[in-house]
Amino acid sequence: MTGRIFYENSEISQKFRGAERPLLAVRGLTKRYGARIGCAEVSFDLWPGEVLGIVGESGSGKSTLLSCLAGHLAPDEGEVVFDTADGLRDTVAMAEAERRRLARTDWAFVHQNPRDGLRMGVSAGGNVGERLMAVGARNYGTIRGQALDWLGRVEIAADRIDDRPRAFSGGMQQRLQIARNLVTGPRLVFMDEPTGGLDVSVQARLLDLLRGLVREMGLSVIIVTHDLAVVRLLADRLMVMKGGRVVEQGLTDQVLDDPQHAYTQLLVSSVLQV
Amino acid sequence: MIQVSDLSKSFTLHNQGGAVIPVMAGATLSVAPGECVGLTGASGAGKSTLMRMVYGNYLAAEGSIRVGDLDVAGAEPREIIALRRRTLGYVSQFLRVVPRVPTIEVVAEPLLVLGVARDEARGRAAALLARLNIPERLWALSPTTFSGGEQQRVNIARGFVHGYPALLLDEPTASLDAANREVVLELIEEAKARGAAILGIFHDEGARARVCDRLVDVTCFTPGLA
């Protein structure tokens, strides 16, 4: 089987052996664009139920890193070891078909622009139901029932189930994208600037919704954003990137309140106060 | 329960010429279960800095900070997260919450995170809010719009809703009227009675005299003064 790996004596296998073990272990992840560095030598562990924030300015490599982690981009070096139902697997070395199956089941990806994560020509209920059908659901009544339940959980009125996302506001589209992603009960959710294009008033509602879902479903989340206020409220841990490298990482409030690296100090002190 | 040994700390300001400011050296203190220790010293002496280091909010340069079984000074983030969930509560002077979340949810959240059922968590939050004289009509509103004293009481409710074995209190009675100050002092006395170890900063001398068993002057941990 491709991608099957045995870390008998490695440091990762030690960590994964205990009853409590990380869901994801990343080691030495590197992606180059020709001579230019996308991201370099990124290593970290993500534990079940943890929310990891990745911050940095445009071009810092945070989106490249997220794409490599989620299997949208092939890294040049490194491992992304995920604790799958079949045991530890390096998702970088997996066959494409297997990685796609993972993306439909254990993983979810919330795009900044809801149009990239939704089918705009399909009804709201269809958008949610489609993901269920992709993992084998066939009973129409069950699918519609679950779609309705999820629309409710993301605060979309039941009478909008047959409307197309085109008719929704930006905030509603983003909530629909979240419902479509979470309906299959993933364990790991990647988010790329999920509150990016939204009004501030809508952001707060979305943040509250995400916090509740993370807590209730025990989700692990990797969230990329340039908004320090968002990570302070949502992330347990923080990684700061600059020039493709992680310059600092730690507990979110510690990194923001007692930053050690020059770049993080600059980033934190540059936020405008309201 | 809380044991700080030979703790030191300095700030390096990379964007201001790399200035290094030593703020603490040789800090040592301990708090036993059921005991309340007050930190004293002038403004800027390092009371809040010490408290933030115990909470894991500021990094320690050297020394150890044991809270229960964990050395916060050398702990992994996830260990500190677990410690804050179950063991170590913190009432800061500032309320930081997601805007638009109802007050009752803000106070119930520490219990929900621990897996307490929704109804019970809300019930305990409601009882505490009532005791702290936050009118029931405000419970469904976000505390971000509240007055300073009301926000402080929401913060206190959040800090006392779960029976943390260790508690850090940063001026818990600062902007409260006499009746609410009395409620807070009773909450502190009850926490001590159930065995909580409390480390606090109290500018309110009457409060300090009433709840603190011992005082530690942080001035003797200030580098260059000791």
Side-chain angles (χ1 to χ4, degrees), chain A residues 142-161:
Chain A
T142 313
I143 293 172
R144 194 173 168 92
Q146 271 192 276
L148 258 179
D149 174 47
W150 266 95
L151 291 180
R153 290 171 77 164
V154 299
E155 302 167 24
I156 294 175
D159 63 2
R160 304 297 301 268
I161 188 169

Side-chain angles (χ1 to χ4, degrees), chain B residues 11-152:
Chain B
F11 291 108
T12 305
L13 308 178
H14 292 288
N15 300 303
Q16 293 178 51
V20 177
I21 304 170
V23 291
M24 192 168 292
T28 298
L29 67 86
S30 66
V31 189
E35 189 182 36
C36 178
V37 172
L39 298 175
T40 62
S43 291
K47 301 186 293 293
S48 290
T49 298
L50 179 56
M51 195 108 103
R52 282 168 174 255
M53 285 163 85
V54 174
Y55 197 58
N57 178 236
Y58 282 180
L59 284 182
E62 285 165 45
S64 73
I65 306 163
R66 294 206 77 83
V67 180
D69 301 325
L70 188 70
D71 181 4
V72 174
E76 294 282 326
R78 64 184 201 93
E79 296 174 312
I80 297 180
I81 291 164
L83 182 82
R84 289 176 177 183
R85 265 183 201 157
R86 289 196 180 277
T87 311
L88 181 63
Y90 179 34
V91 177
S92 78
Q93 295 190 68
F94 309 99
L95 181 69
R96 215 187 292 262
V97 294
V98 179
R100 302 181 49 171
V101 176
T103 295
I104 185 123
E105 297 286 332
V106 167
V107 176
E109 198 193 13
L111 293 174
L112 295 175
V113 169
L114 284 171
V116 174
R118 188 157 209 97
D119 287 348
E120 193 197 331
R122 287 179 65 104
R124 279 159 67 180
L128 210 44
L129 285 168
R131 199 170 159 195
L132 284 157
N133 302 304
I134 302 285
E136 194 169 345
R137 63 190 158 77
L138 298 182
W139 297 357
L141 307 177
S142 164
T144 46
T145 55
F146 289 5
S147 73
E150 284 164 346
Q151 289 196 2
Q152 168 124 20

